[in-house]
Amino acid sequence: MRLGVLDVGSNTVHLLVVDAHRGAHPTPARSEKTVLRLAERLTPSGLLSKRGADDLVRTVAEAKASSVRLGCAELMAFATSAVREAGNSAEVLARVTRETGVELRVLSGEDEARYTFLAARRWYGWSAGNLLVADIGGGSLELAAGIDENPDFAVSVPLGAGRTTRTRFTADPPTRTEVAETAQWLVEQLAPVAKRAAKFGRPDRAVATSKTFRTLARLTGAAPSSAGPRVRRVLTESGLSQLIAFVSRMSATDLAELDGVSPSRAHQLLAGALVAQATMRALSLTELEIGPWALREGVILRRLDQTNGEDHTDSSD
């Protein structure tokens, strides 16, 4: 069965097409991304701008057309923090459905954490034991932990890389004072979350997902994406601290020249690094393993769990 999942995030709209059936490893067939930066297109009153909504409708329509062309039996579409928090979210969602025929499901932050945790659990298996998963998006940070497929602890906090950049920095690069104050502020924001997480015990394995964590790991020496998803990649707290000292003095233009840094996300790199550092310190982690599966894969896996186990035909049948 060929499935498509459309992820409308704070930075990008990402269509992932996979071939899979229940009990099988989902095999990626196609990936298409469009940078919209919806979180940066909210008006001062918190509404998604008309141009932002126009671009969203157009992009969703194009993604639907791609899914049809690629033979997807189903297109699962969801939106995260940018659309979730827009004051005109209901109006925008209704327009998307009316003009494209695609019904965007708005995920709660906790839903994001749970789907991402499921994906990590399936990738690493039961041998991972008490698993902790962290994911930094554009608008929020998700954390989840537990020993089963459904986490015992799942939380979302508004500490995404894009949001932190917009709300904490006024210069490019940020001033030393802004960097120091933001680092301290993040520690304070994460203290109560860490206290809750501690009740569920130390993790046997700590995993990080998302583009932000992958980029940070790459900049601290991890293998490039071209090496494949099964290469072990880690992000250490010591390596991250050294990286922050280096990138905090660089402008977004210069950061975009670094290997593995997307030009569309370069301006968020420092904030993402600070969020990652604060998270590791709050949870007393010296190392995070970079997991290749995250939210989109979690959505696909949960959908496959709901099949009757007989959907084994591929798109060519």
Side-chain angles (χ1 to χ4, degrees):
M1 178 167 60
R2 175 161 286 190
L3 296 173
V5 58
L6 183 63
D7 177 359
V8 177
S10 296
N11 291 307
T12 62
V13 176
H14 187 170
L15 172 66
L16 176 65
V17 175
V18 301
D19 292 321
H21 60 265
R22 186 176 178 180
H25 181 291
T27 303
R30 179 81 172 185
S31 176
E32 298 180 359
K33 299 179 184 179
T34 303
V35 178
L36 289 188
R37 292 187 182 176
L38 292 179
E40 298 177 16
R41 303 171 79 168
L42 298 178
T43 67
S45 59
L47 304 178
L48 181 62
S49 67
K50 183 180 184 306
R51 185 171 180 180
D54 290 344
D55 287 346
L56 175 59
V57 169
R58 173 183 52 78
T59 303
V60 171
E62 291 172 351
K64 180 183 178 181
S66 289
S67 72
V68 171
R69 185 178 67 255
L70 293 168
C72 291
E74 183 178 340
L75 177 64
M76 299 167 288
F78 63 86
T80 55
S81 64
V83 174
R84 181 169 67 229
E85 297 172 8
N88 57 343
S89 175
E91 176 185 334
V92 171
L93 292 171
R95 183 184 167 196
V96 169
T97 301
R98 183 173 64 251
E99 297 186 24
T100 71
V102 175
E103 185 173 347
L104 272 180
R105 174 190 174 193
V106 176
L107 298 183
S108 69
E110 185 174 313
D111 284 338
E112 290 187 57
R114 290 182 179 278
Y115 280 122
T116 302
F117 182 86
L118 171 64
R121 170 60 75 191
R122 292 284 177 89
W123 181 268
Y124 290 102
W126 298 116
S127 63
N130 189 18
L131 180 66
L132 171 72
V133 180
D135 184 292
I136 299 174
S140 58
L141 162 71
E142 276 71 50
L143 296 169
I147 60 172
D148 299 319
E149 289 200 336
N150 192 36
D152 300 313
F153 167 79
V155 66
S156 176
V157 288
L159 299 177
R163 187 194 303 269
T164 302
T165 300
R166 294 191 303 275
T167 59
R168 301 294 306 185
F169 298 156
T170 61
D172 179 25
T175 66
R176 290 185 179 182
T177 298
E178 285 182 331
V179 173
E181 290 181 349
T182 297
Q184 180 57 39
W185 176 77
L186 288 168
V187 168
E188 295 167 358
Q189 297 299 306
L190 285 169
V193 178
K195 186 175 181 180
R196 287 177 57 193
K199 296 178 182 179
F200 299 94
R202 289 285 302 168
D204 297 307
R205 196 164 200 160
V207 173
T209 66
S210 74
K211 176 67 172 178
T212 295
F213 274 119
R214 290 197 302 272
T215 299
L216 295 173
R218 177 71 185 113
L219 290 173
T220 55
S225 58
S226 60
R230 291 176 176 78
V231 173
R232 187 173 187 269
R233 298 171 175 85
V234 298
L235 175 66
T236 64
E237 200 277 332
S238 59
L240 182 56
S241 294
Q242 294 175 13
L243 178 65
I244 289 173
F246 175 62
V247 301
S248 62
R249 301 190 296 269
M250 300 176 66
S251 68
T253 300
D254 291 335
L255 289 172
E257 298 297 322
L258 297 178
D259 184 29
V261 177
S262 167
S264 64
R265 294 174 183 260
H267 65 298
Q268 303 178 7
L269 179 65
L270 175 58
L274 291 173
V275 173
Q277 181 186 59
T279 300
M280 295 181 75
R281 289 180 174 177
L283 299 174
S284 300
L285 301 172
T286 59
E287 180 180 286
L288 283 167
E289 187 165 351
I290 307 302
W293 279 3
L295 176 59
R296 288 178 289 276
E297 288 80 7
V299 170
I300 291 170
L301 290 166
R302 182 57 72 211
R303 170 64 183 84
L304 292 172
D305 287 346
Q306 297 168 354
T307 68
N308 61 11
E310 299 176 354
D311 299 312
H312 291 206
T313 57
D314 63 31
S315 59
S316 63
D317 290 344

